[in-house]
Amino acid sequence: ARCGFGEVIYGPGKSADLVARLIETQLEAGQDSLVTRIDPQTAVAATHRFTHARHNPVARTLRVSSAPIVSGLQPSPNGLHVAVVTAGSTDAPVAEEAIETIEWMGVPVSRFDDIGVAGPQRLIAAVPKLREASAVVVVAGMEGALPSVVAGHLAVPIFAVPTSVGYGASLGGLTPLLGMLSACAANVAVVNIDAGFKGGYLAGMVVSQLRQVTPDTCQAS
Amino acid sequence: ARCGFGEVIYGPGKSADLVARLIETQLEAGQDSLVTRIDPQTAVAATHRFTHARHNPVARTLRVSSAPIVSGLQPSPNGLHVAVVTAGSTDAPVAEEAIETIEWMGVPVSRFDDIGVAGPQRLIAAVPKLREASAVVVVAGMEGALPSVVAGHLAVPIFAVPTSVGYGASLGGLTPLLGMLSACAANVAVVNIDAGFKGGYLAGMVVSQLRQVTPDTCQAS
Amino acid sequence: ARCGFGEVIYGPGKSADLVARLIETQLEAGQDSLVTRIDPQTAVAATHRFTHARHNPVARTLRVSSAPIVSGLQPSPNGLHVAVVTAGSTDAPVAEEAIETIEWMGVPVSRFDDIGVAGPQRLIAAVPKLREASAVVVVAGMEGALPSVVAGHLAVPIFAVPTSVGYGASLGGLTPLLGMLSACAANVAVVNIDAGFKGGYLAGMVVSQLRQVTPDTCQAS
Amino acid sequence: ARCGFGEVIYGPGKSADLVARLIETQLEAGQDSLVTRIDPQTAVAATHRFTHARHNPVARTLRVSSAPIVSGLQPSPNGLHVAVVTAGSTDAPVAEEAIETIEWMGVPVSRFDDIGVAGPQRLIAAVPKLREASAVVVVAGMEGALPSVVAGHLAVPIFAVPTSVGYGASLGGLTPLLGMLSACAANVAVVNIDAGFKGGYLAGMVVSQLRQVTPDTCQAS
Amino acid sequence: ARCGFGEVIYGPGKSADLVARLIETQLEAGQDSLVTRIDPQTAVAATHRFTHARHNPVARTLRVSSAPIVSGLQPSPNGLHVAVVTAGSTDAPVAEEAIETIEWMGVPVSRFDDIGVAGPQRLIAAVPKLREASAVVVVAGMEGALPSVVAGHLAVPIFAVPTSVGYGASLGGLTPLLGMLSACAANVAVVNIDAGFKGGYLAGMVVSQLRQVTPDTCQAS
Amino acid sequence: ARCGFGEVIYGPGKSADLVARLIETQLEAGQDSLVTRIDPQTAVAATHRFTHARHNPVARTLRVSSAPIVSGLQPSPNGLHVAVVTAGSTDAPVAEEAIETIEWMGVPVSRFDDIGVAGPQRLIAAVPKLREASAVVVVAGMEGALPSVVAGHLAVPIFAVPTSVGYGASLGGLTPLLGMLSACAANVAVVNIDAGFKGGYLAGMVVSQLRQVTPDTCQAS
Amino acid sequence: ARCGFGEVIYGPGKSADLVARLIETQLEAGQDSLVTRIDPQTAVAATHRFTHARHNPVARTLRVSSAPIVSGLQPSPNGLHVAVVTAGSTDAPVAEEAIETIEWMGVPVSRFDDIGVAGPQRLIAAVPKLREASAVVVVAGMEGALPSVVAGHLAVPIFAVPTSVGYGASLGGLTPLLGMLSACAANVAVVNIDAGFKGGYLAGMVVSQLRQVTPDTCQAS
Amino acid sequence: ARCGFGEVIYGPGKSADLVARLIETQLEAGQDSLVTRIDPQTAVAATHRFTHARHNPVARTLRVSSAPIVSGLQPSPNGLHVAVVTAGSTDAPVAEEAIETIEWMGVPVSRFDDIGVAGPQRLIAAVPKLREASAVVVVAGMEGALPSVVAGHLAVPIFAVPTSVGYGASLGGLTPLLGMLSACAANVAVVNIDAGFKGGYLAGMVVSQLRQVTPDTCQAS
Ligand SMILES: Nc1ncnc2c1ncn2[C@@H]1O[C@H](COP(=O)(O)O)[C@@H](O)[C@H]1O
Ligand SMILES: Nc1ncnc2c1ncn2[C@@H]1O[C@H](COP(=O)(O)O)[C@@H](O)[C@H]1O
Ligand SMILES: Nc1ncnc2c1ncn2[C@@H]1O[C@H](COP(=O)(O)O)[C@@H](O)[C@H]1O
Ligand SMILES: Nc1ncnc2c1ncn2[C@@H]1O[C@H](COP(=O)(O)O)[C@@H](O)[C@H]1O
Ligand SMILES: [Mg+2]
Ligand SMILES: [Mg+2]
Ligand SMILES: [Mg+2]
Ligand SMILES: [Mg+2]
Ligand SMILES: [Mg+2]
Ligand SMILES: [Mg+2]
Ligand SMILES: [Mg+2]
Ligand SMILES: [Mg+2]
C-alpha cells in the first residue's frame, strides 16, 4: 500500500484560529501539518499554541509536528534525495517553499543557489553533485533557461518552477513558464508560476516512492 | 550508476536516408531507436532497411531494435508500471506517442481510454486499477479537467499532457495547458501541448528508477 | 404576461445618499431593491434609513424591502429551486452574491460548499441532492474544472461562474473562464469572472419561469 | 423524474460505419440521434442506411429517428418555444446547428435573421414577437453587440453564441466572446465560439423543463 | 490656410511650476491652454496664477485663457456641433475630458448621458437630436456595444472611445476596444482606451473644418 | 438634410446571382453600388450583366453605376479632397480598397505611395502636397509608425489603417493596430486591420460634409 | 585580449550592507561598481561609505570608483561615442540609466531629448549631429515609432529601448516593444521594456570595441 | 564618412521582372544586390539574367554582383569576424539568411551548428573559438535559451534571432522572443522572429565599423 501525505493547508484567507484548529485535527490523525502562503502574524499566533512548530518567513510556511522538527540536514552521499536549484538569489522564497515541503514529506534535500546561466562556471562546477539526486526542482525567473540547461546534464525528472522575478517581457512569470514548457530537453515537467510547493511535492513523491521500495534506504536517511 | 536512454530522434525535416543513418549509429552503440513525429512515407522507407522495426502511424512513431519488438502487454498485477489515460478518443494519437515512448524505455504500461469528465461513471470505475500505477500520464484537450480529477483520486505523480483537440476558447490547447498548471491538486506536473513523448518519458523515468532499486521487479516484468 | 424583476443597482462610485434615493424610488414602485458590490460604509449608512434591510458584507450586497427579509431557508424537498455550488472556501463571496440575488428574486436556493475536484468523494456524495435542483450555479477558480464535472452528473442548465481565485497561470480568472467555455459537457453556460450576480440571476430566471407555469408551486414555496 | 436527452455524437474523426453503428444503438434504446459537425460524404453515406434521416449541410448536422422528422414548424402563438436570432447572414450555419438541436429535443423554435445592430429598425420591429419566446439564442460575430441589445428588450435567459465571422480585431471570435461576457445586461450567458449546438441545447433545456411542468402546453405545440 | 490648435499639455510628471510656465508661453503666443490628466493639487496651484482658468476635477483638465471661459452652452438648433454620448454614468470622466477638449477648440458640444444598450428606449428617444450633430464621440466600457448601435442610426463620423470601466472579461478596456474596431458599421473610428481627449480632438477637428468653410456658421455659434 | 450613401455589399459568401440582384435593387433605388472583398470569378460574372461596371482586382472591389465610372482623376489644386498614403508597396490592396470607396462616394482623392519611415526623404518631400488634403488615410503594416509621423506634419483627421503585412512580432496586424492606437499625436483615429473600406469611408464622410457646406466646391470637383 | 566590464549589481532586494560589501569586493578587484534599480535610501546609506560615489536618483543608479567620477562631458566632435535619444520627457529615467551605464564603461555619450515623432522638426534638426555617433540608444514609449524613424536616417546599430510610458493600448510597454521588433529598418535591435541598462551596455560595447582598435582614439576622448 | 550598404530588396509579392529591374538599378549604382525571402521560381528566373549571381534556396536569398561571389570562407584566426550559432538543425534557414547577409556586407563569418543547450558539451567545446568573434548571431527556437547561455561565456554584443521552430507553448516563436528579451545577461539584443537578415545585418555593421577603423584589417580579409 502506498503511504500518502496529509492535505496541505493553503493559508490565505484563513484566521489563526481556523489554521490552529485544522492543524490540531491533523495532529490527532497522526499527520504532520504544512501550511503554505501564511502571513507572518497568523503564523506567529498559531505557532504559540504548539510545542513543535517551525515558521519559515521567507518560504511563508508553517510546519507543526508531534515531534521535534529537524531542518537543513544535507543528505548522506548517494542517499536518495531531491536537489533544489535556484537561478538567482531573488528566487529564494520559492525555493524555500519547495524545501520545506520536501522536508515535511520526510525526504532529504540538497540545495544549489544562484547558479543561473549568466555565470556558467558555477553551474558546471555543481553538475557532479547534482547528478547524485533522484529528482531535481529548478526554480528560475526572467527567461527561465536554467531547467533546460540543467536537464541537458542529468537523466532524472526535472520539476521546473517558473518565478515572477523579472520585469517587462518576462510578463510576471508567463515567459519562463512558456519557455520551460518549450524546453527541448525531454525530462522537464512544469508547475505553476511561483509554485515552489508543487515542485517540491512532485519531486518529493518521486524520491519517497524510491525510498519505500529500497530495502536499506528508508532506515538510512 | 544511473542507466540512461538513447537520444530520441525528432522526425520533421529529416530525410529517410538521414533517419536510417542515425538509427544505425544508435544500433551500433547498443541502443534501441525511437523516432517521433515521423511522416508515413519516411517511416515506411526507413522500416524496410531494418529487421526489427515498428511503425505506429497513429502515434507517428518509429521504433527500431536489434531484437523483436513486443508491444501492448498489460503489466502484471501490482507490477511497477505507468498508466496512460485519455479524456476522449480524439486524444489517442498523443496517448499512443506516450505509450510507444514508455515501451521503448522497457517500462510496462496500462491504458485507460475515453474516461473524460463528461461521463463520470467510467472514471470512477477505473480508479481501483489506476491506483496500481506508480506514475500516470493524463492526456486531455478542450477544458483539460481530467488531470485534476484523476489526481484527486491518486497519490502518485501525474504528468498532464494538454492536447490541441477542441475549438474556439480552447485556443489550440492553451486553455487546457493553463488549466492543468492551475490545478488545485498538488501532484500534477505539465508538459507542452500534444507532447505525448515528454509525458511518457517523464513517467517512464519515474518507474524506471523504481524498477532499478527494486530487488525482484526488474526480472519480473 | 411575464413578471420581471427590478433593475439591480451597481454600487461602485455611488454615494450612500444616491443609493438610498434609488432604493426609495424602487420601493415606491413596489419593487424590492438589490445593490451589488457595495462597500461596507455605504451599506451601513444606507441600511439605517430603512426598516427592512439586509446587508451581506461577504457578498457585498444590500437588499431592501417593504416586508421583512427572510434568508437561508432550505427549499422543500423536490420544490423547484436553484443549487449554488463552490469548489473551495475562497469562492464564498461570489457564491453569496449569487445566493442573495436568487433570494431577492423570491426563488428558493440550496447550497453546496467546498466540493471541488481535489476531494472527489465530497462531490459524489452531493450528487443525489444536486439532482433535485432545476438550475445550478457552479462557482470555481484556479483551473475551473468543477462545472464540467457537475454537468456530467446532471441534466439541467449549469451556469458556471469563474472566479479570480488562484495565481500565476490562472491569469486572474481567465483560465477557468476559458476552460468553462471549452467544457465538453453540453449544458454549461458561462458568465463573467466573479459575476456571482449574473450566474444567480440567470439560474433564478429559469426557476422563476418554472414556478410561474406550475399550478401549485408558486404558493408552495 | 427529469427526462434527459440522448448523448449527441460529435462527428469529426468518425467513419460513416462507426457513426451508423452509434446511431443504431441509440435507436434501439429508443432515442433519436443527433450528429454534429459531420462532413457531407459521411452524412450522405450514413443517411442511406436509415428510413427517417435528415441531413442539414449548412448546419453540418445529421438527425435520425424511428419516426418521420418534421422541421421548420413555427410555434403556435404564445406556445412555449425558443427564439434563434442572427446578426448577419454569415452567421447562418451556427444558427442552423442551434435550430437542429432544439428541434431534435422536440422543442418548438422561431427564427429571426439578419437583424444586427447596423440596421436597428429591423431589430426594433422584431421585438414584440421575440418577447413571446421563453429563451433566446443570439448568434453574432464581429463585435458581438447583438446579445446585449436583445437582452435590453427581453426578460428571459439569453444564450449568446459568438461566431468566428469577421477579420482582424475580431480575433477569430474571441472579441465577440469577451464582449458578450462583459455585457452589462444581467440575463446574458455565453457559450464557446461557433457552438450553436451548446446555445441551442441550453435554451432547449430551459423550454423543455417549462413544457414538462405546464399542464396543457405539451399537447398544444 | 488651416487654423491649427495649440499643443495640449500632458500633465503627469510635471510640477505646478513647469505647467504654469508652459501655459504662460502659450498665452503669450496668443493660444488658449489645455492641460490633461492633471492632478488636483497641481491644478489648484496653477489656477491661482491666472485670471481666467477652469479646472474640471472630474475630467482632470485645466484650461487657461486670456478671456473668460464659458462652458456648457448647448448648441443652437441645427448649428454645427459635436455630440458626446456615454453608455453609463461611470464613463463620465472620459466624456468630460472630451467635452473640455471640444470647448477649448471653440466648437459647440451637446451631451447625452447614460443611454447604454441595456436601456434601449433612452437611446431611441435620443436619436432625433443626435442626428443634428456633424460628428459624434461615443464613450463606453464593458462590452462597448454602444458605438455600433449609435452608428446604425447616423450618417456622420463616430469616434468611439473605449473605457476601462468593467471587470473580468472586459480586460481593462481591451474588450470594448477590440469590439469597437470590429464594428460592422462602416462609420466608426476608434481611439485609445480612456482617451477622451483624442476622441474629442478628432470630432472637434471635423466640425471646426466645417465651420470654417461655412459662410454664416462661424459667427452664428 | 444629410445625404447618405447606399449600404456597401460585403462580398464573401454571396453568389454572383445574389450580388447582381442586390446591385439591381440599389440601381433601381438610384444608388451606385460598391461590393468589397469580392472574388475575381464572382466579380467577372456580375460585371457582364451591367453597362457601367468597374472591377478592381487588386482592391477586390466591384462598382456599378447607372452612368460611366470615372477613376483616378487627381483633385484640382486646393480642391477639397482625401489623401491616401501607403508605407510600402505591399500595402497597395488595402489602399486601393480605400480609394475605390472614396471615389464611389464622389469625393476626389490623391495618392502617395511607398513613403514609409525607412526612407524619410520621400515622406518629407510629400508633406507640402499632403497638407492640401482635408482628411488623410494612412495605410501601414509592420510596426505601423507612419500615421504618427504623418500626423505630426498635418492638422487634419488621420484615419490609420493597419495592415497584416509583416511577420513574427507584427502579429498579423495587431502590432501596428496597437501602435496606431497608442500614437502620441492627437489627430489619429484607427480602424480594423486591412479595413481600407472603413478608413476610406470615414475620410470620405469628412470631406463629403465639407463639400456640402461649401458654396462653390460641389460644382467645382 | 578583450577587456571586459565588471558584473553590474541589480539593486532590488539587496540591503545597503550587502550592496556595500559587493562594491568593496569589486573595488578591491580593481573594478568600478554600477548598481541599478537601487532605491534612494539604500543608495544614500551606501554612498556614505565611499569617497568617490555618484547616486543618480532619476536613473536609480549608484556608481562607485577608486577615482573621482566625472559625468556629462560632451564627446569631442567626431570622437567615437554613443548617442542616447528620448522620444518624450517621461522617458528620461530609462535614458539616464543608459547614460550612467555608458559612462561607467568609460565611453563618451551625447544626449538628444524629447525629439519624438509628434514634433518632426526637432528630429530633423538633430540628424546631422546624430550621424556622428557610432551606436545609438533610442528610448521611446507609447507607439514606439522613434527607433524606426531614427534608423531611416542613420547607418549604425540602433538599440531600441521600449518604455512603459503610455496607457491603454500601449499595454505597459508591450506595444512599443513589438513595434520596434517589427521595424522595417534593418538596423534596429531591441531590449526589454525599460531596460535602459541593457541598451546602454550594448551600445557601449560597440563603441568600446571601436575605441580599442583605433590607434589614436582611446587617448583622444 | 561612413560607408553604407545598398537597400535590401524584400522579395515577397515582387515579380521576377521587377526584381531584375531593381537589381540592375543597384548594379548601375555600383552596389551589390541582396534579395531576401525570394521564392525559388522567381530566383531562378532572375538568376539567368546576370553573370554573377548566387541563389541560396535554404536561405531564400539571391545575391547579384558585378564580380564573382565567393562564399563560405572561414575567417583567418583572430581576424575580425561575426560568428553565427544555431541551437538545432531546423534553425538552419534563418542562420543561412544571416550568413548570406553578412557575406554580402563583405564581412567574414564563422559558423557553429546544432550546439543547443540539450547537449551542453558541444557548446562548451565551441566557446574558445566563439570568443574570437567580435559580434555573435545566435539563432534558436523552442524555449530560446541559447543566447543567454552563449552570452554568459562572451563579452561582445549578441544578436539573438528567435525562430518559429517548435510547437504548442512556443507560440510560433513568441516564447523564445520574450525569453531572449528577458535574458539576465546584459549583452543580448533581440530582433524579430525568423529575422536572420536583421541579426546578420546588425552583427555585420558592428564588425564592418571595426574593420574600417583598424589599420591593417580591411586589406587583410
Ligand atoms: N501554495 C499552494 N499552491 C497551490 N495549492 C496549494 C498550496 N498550498 C496548498 N494548496 C492546496 O490547496 C488545497 C487546500 O486548500 P484549503 O482547503 O483551502 O486549505 C489542497 O488541495 C492543497 O494541495
Ligand atoms: N470590407 C468590409 N469590412 C467590414 N465591413 C464591411 C465591408 N464591406 C461591407 N461591410 C459592411 O457590411 C455590411 C453589409 O453586409 P451584408 O449585409 O452581409 O452585405 C454593411 O454594414 C457594410 O458597411
Ligand atoms: N537593470 C537591470 N536589468 C536587468 N538585469 C540587470 C540589471 N541590473 C543588473 N542586471 C544583471 O543582473 C545580474 C546581477 O544580479 P545579482 O547577482 O542579483 O546582482 C547581472 O547579470 C547583471 O547583468
Ligand atoms: N527579410 C526581411 N525582413 C524584414 N525586412 C526586410 C527583409 N528584407 C528586406 N527588408 C527591408 O525591406 C525594405 C525593402 O522593401 P521593398 O522596398 O519592398 O523592397 C528595406 O528597408 C529592407 O531593409
Ligand atoms: Mg545572480
Ligand atoms: Mg468521450
Ligand atoms: Mg478545499
Ligand atoms: Mg447584414
Ligand atoms: Mg446605466
Ligand atoms: Mg518600401
Ligand atoms: Mg514631447
Ligand atoms: Mg540538436
Side-chain angles (χ1 to χ4, degrees), chain A residues 4-15:
Chain A
F5 303 97
E7 207 172 320
V8 177
I9 301 164
Y10 187 63
K14 297 207 172 68
S15 65

Side-chain angles (χ1 to χ4, degrees), chain F residues 73-100:
Chain F
L73 286 186
Q74 281 296 98
S76 61
N78 300 315
L80 293 170
H81 68 276
V82 175
V84 174
V85 178
T86 61
S89 54
T90 358
D91 301 318
V94 177
E96 299 234 344
E97 193 187 55
I99 290 168
E100 291 287 344

Side-chain angles (χ1 to χ4, degrees), chain F residues 7 48 78:
Chain F
E7 206 170 321
H48 288 145
N78 300 315

Side-chain angles (χ1 to χ4, degrees), chain B residues 87-89 114 122:
Chain B
S89 55
D114 204 19
R122 278 206 292 269

